[in-house]
Amino acid sequence: MSVPLVEIVRSGFVEGCHHGSVVALDADGTVAWSLGEVSTPILPRSANKPLQALGMLGLGLDLPPELLALACASHSGEPEHVATAAGVLAKLGLDAGALECGTQWPSREPVLRGMVARGEMATPLHNNCSGKHSGFVCVACLMARQAGAEPIEFVRGYVAAEHAVMREVSAALSATTGVDVDHAPRGTDGCSIPTFALPLRSLALAFARCGTGQGLSDGHARAARRLRQAAAVAPFMVGGTDRFDTRVMQAYGERLFCKIGAEGVYCAALPELGLGIALKVDDGAARAAEAAMAAVAQALLRIEDELLRGYSHLQLRNWRGINVGSLRPAQALSQALAP
Amino acid sequence: MSVPLVEIVRSGFVEGCHHGSVVALDADGTVAWSLGEVSTPILPRSANKPLQALGMLGLGLDLPPELLALACASHSGEPEHVATAAGVLAKLGLDAGALECGTQWPSREPVLRGMVARGEMATPLHNNCSGKHSGFVCVACLMARQAGAEPIEFVRGYVAAEHAVMREVSAALSATTGVDVDHAPRGTDGCSIPTFALPLRSLALAFARCGTGQGLSDGHARAARRLRQAAAVAPFMVGGTDRFDTRVMQAYGERLFCKIGAEGVYCAALPELGLGIALKVDDGAARAAEAAMAAVAQALLRIEDELLRGYSHLQLRNWRGINVGSLRPAQALSQALAP
């Protein structure tokens, strides 16, 4: 059974609650603490992008830090994200037409409004997954060259589970999580690639391994280190203006290597503690996933500042800007995190 | 304890779940069926707008059907809503400056984009509550005239719990729900008026009474009938394009008098069965509140059509438009509703 993780409080009255589960464990799989159902498979969605990026690096993808950070991103479609993804494709002689992630308007509202005001249209480059997909396209071109195939032909259909690129990316998921994803339930993700059902504890294990290198092949350990450093050097690329992942990695660098996923999933590595964290909010609310991750990070890293507290106790304002309440960790979570 | 009401299914895999509670009962308070915690107070938010409108009618508010429907609305800020609310104020010699609901951009995205493209700014008239607030302003002017006071002075501050208008509106909540809201926990709503914590069963009772007239004063019973008829005649005013409340009242008229509220609340009256329904999704998700209300309405009214099923089994599409799954009633809800 999942447990209450985050409450919604309005004028002192508990108006609602988000249920979910969370686990923190080390690279040996030893659970530091957990709440709820952590052995039941869930769909990790974009929270596993760093693990997929690990697979791409293992295949020989070699990009500067900001592009590696973008490959791990669920970005807000801001001009820097779009231009960077476009640049990756341009070097291959390709454009947005090569991307199979679908078109999405920027989630950053001022950016979206600017585009609308200028009469511009969204493209697949604005899709929050365009960095990862640009990486997939790079890898496909690499593999095509190695196989002596025509790159453009080889790239096409890269989102399919059976495509050579996706098979290698999936193999990295299996290697890092310890779950054979070929035998896991599979869903189609928002960006059309497969997403494999994995227990939270397996996801947390993969992040503990990425944070420490323990339990990974030498190649994956090196790749994990590069990705952590890339996200710390270019945190804007992982999310964007005012985004949780970006703000906390700007503040704490490699201390908190974190990634949000759709439908309430969050994963993180805390290298200094040797821990990986994975959580799922049952109902899929991002506000609750961020609040829970902020509460966990504050407690485990012993950080007391306004940044993380601003998420764990997110202030709620009404249409006149009046403070009408906040989120806060539910009793089950705050007790579990108490020193 | 609340129960699983609605599941999120992706590619056949249950990816998530919304917990909540729901009750259906008659105007005597006899429970037809219920699930979860229905005696614990919740904040009804905008789901109680029809009850507040009842209070306004009781104070002598007399408006044509489309304006009464707008007074019950959480509308999408479309041009018809804005113009209608502006018209109400203009007749009083007032404008958007009289509204104390705060400024909100239209929730209907094409409308918002059109405004942005034309360089227009949102006003309090675009706020989803502007119809109700225009009603409050009308009532305040009426009361000012009766008291021989200066209307503009009297109107100012009408959102405060202690204002004469709000006291009368709150009295109607007490009369219809059977709960003395003066002694209920109180929160500040999104539009700055008070929202009083009431058990779901009391909210359902008020809607059962509104659907039948039983248990109401003659004046409130007449007012309830006028509001039901108004919503059925002008359902667009209650919500807007593609909105649940609008679509179902366009389809079923007075058979299903329903109103959504923020944070996962939904209320409805089913006059032909003499039942009122109230539900709360713990985590506040509108998608789940709509899915649950659609499932309940289908089962109780024995309606089998694509409209309600489109909400109870909402199809989920990804950025390429591929169908990747759906919502569906969780087992606890579907079993409770089985004939």
Side-chain angles (χ1 to χ4, degrees), chain B residues 103-128:
Chain B
T103 295
Q104 179 189 8
W105 285 84
S107 61
R108 171 102 181 127
E109 191 148 316
V111 173
L112 184 151
R113 293 194 185 195
M115 289 177 65
V116 170
R118 292 187 299 275
E120 297 169 10
M121 292 302 291
T123 75
L125 289 166
H126 296 90
N127 186 305
N128 79 86

Side-chain angles (χ1 to χ4, degrees), chain A residues 1-2 8 10-11 13-19 41-43 45 100-105 109 112-114 116-117 127-129 159 185-193 195 197-198 262-263 280-285 287 316 318-320 322-324, chain B residues 1-2 8 10-11 13-19 41-43 45 100-105 109 112-114 116-117 127-129 159 185-193 195 197-198 262-263 280-285 287 316 318-320 322-324:
Chain A
M1 283 282 286
S2 57
I8 305 123
R10 178 171 291 259
S11 309
F13 181 85
V14 178
E15 179 173 24
C17 175
H18 296 275
H19 290 75
I42 59 112
L43 295 177
R45 310 295 301 275
E100 299 180 357
C101 50
T103 294
Q104 178 189 7
W105 285 85
E109 192 149 315
L112 184 151
R113 292 194 184 194
V116 170
N127 187 303
N128 79 86
C129 302
V159 293
R186 184 205 295 175
T188 302
D189 214 331
C191 67
S192 294
I193 70 165
T195 180
L198 302 164
E263 291 291 342
K280 161 85 180 172
V281 174
D282 294 353
D283 59 78
R287 67 179 182 184
L316 305 174
N318 76 2
W319 299 116
R320 286 173 94 186
I322 298 168
N323 186 329
V324 290
Chain B
M1 284 281 286
S2 57
I8 305 125
R10 178 171 292 258
S11 309
F13 181 85
V14 178
E15 180 175 22
C17 175
H18 296 274
H19 290 75
I42 59 115
L43 295 177
R45 310 295 301 275
E100 299 181 357
C101 50
T103 295
Q104 179 189 8
W105 285 84
E109 191 148 316
L112 184 151
R113 293 194 185 195
V116 170
N127 186 305
N128 79 86
C129 303
V159 294
R186 185 206 294 176
T188 302
D189 214 331
C191 67
S192 294
I193 69 165
T195 179
L198 303 164
E263 290 291 342
K280 161 86 181 172
V281 174
D282 294 351
D283 59 79
R287 69 178 181 184
L316 305 174
N318 75 2
W319 299 115
R320 287 172 92 185
I322 299 167
N323 186 329
V324 290

Side-chain angles (χ1 to χ4, degrees), chain A residues 14-41:
Chain A
V14 178
E15 179 173 24
C17 175
H18 296 275
H19 290 75
S21 303
V22 53
V23 61
L25 48 67
D26 69 18
D28 294 327
T30 306
V31 173
W33 64 271
S34 77
L35 275 175
E37 268 178 64
V38 302
S39 299
T40 310

Side-chain angles (χ1 to χ4, degrees), chain B residues 121-153:
Chain B
M121 292 302 291
T123 75
L125 289 166
H126 296 90
N127 186 305
N128 79 86
C129 303
S130 71
K132 179 175 74 175
H133 279 253
S134 298
F136 290 149
V137 170
C138 281
V139 170
C141 289
L142 268 177
M143 292 177 87
R145 273 198 289 275
Q146 287 162 4
E150 169 60 42
I152 291 177
E153 287 301 316

Side-chain angles (χ1 to χ4, degrees), chain B residues 137-182:
Chain B
V137 170
C138 281
V139 170
C141 289
L142 268 177
M143 292 177 87
R145 273 198 289 275
Q146 287 162 4
E150 169 60 42
I152 291 177
E153 287 301 316
F154 196 89
V155 165
R156 198 166 295 145
Y158 69 83
V159 294
E162 303 72 27
H163 191 283
V165 171
M166 217 46 62
R167 287 201 58 77
E168 293 289 344
V169 168
S170 301
L173 280 178
S174 295
T176 53
T177 62
V179 174
D180 178 2
V181 301
D182 282 344

Side-chain angles (χ1 to χ4, degrees), chain B residues 2 4 53 57-58 61 99 104 111 122 160 180 190 218 230 239 272 287 289 299 306:
Chain B
S2 57
L57 287 178
L61 184 70
L99 299 179
Q104 179 189 8
V111 173
D180 178 2
D218 287 351
E272 73 194 51
R287 69 178 181 184
E306 286 308 303

Side-chain angles (χ1 to χ4, degrees), chain A residues 266-277:
Chain A
Y266 231 119
C267 291
L270 281 59
E272 72 195 54
L273 301 175
L275 294 175
I277 297 166

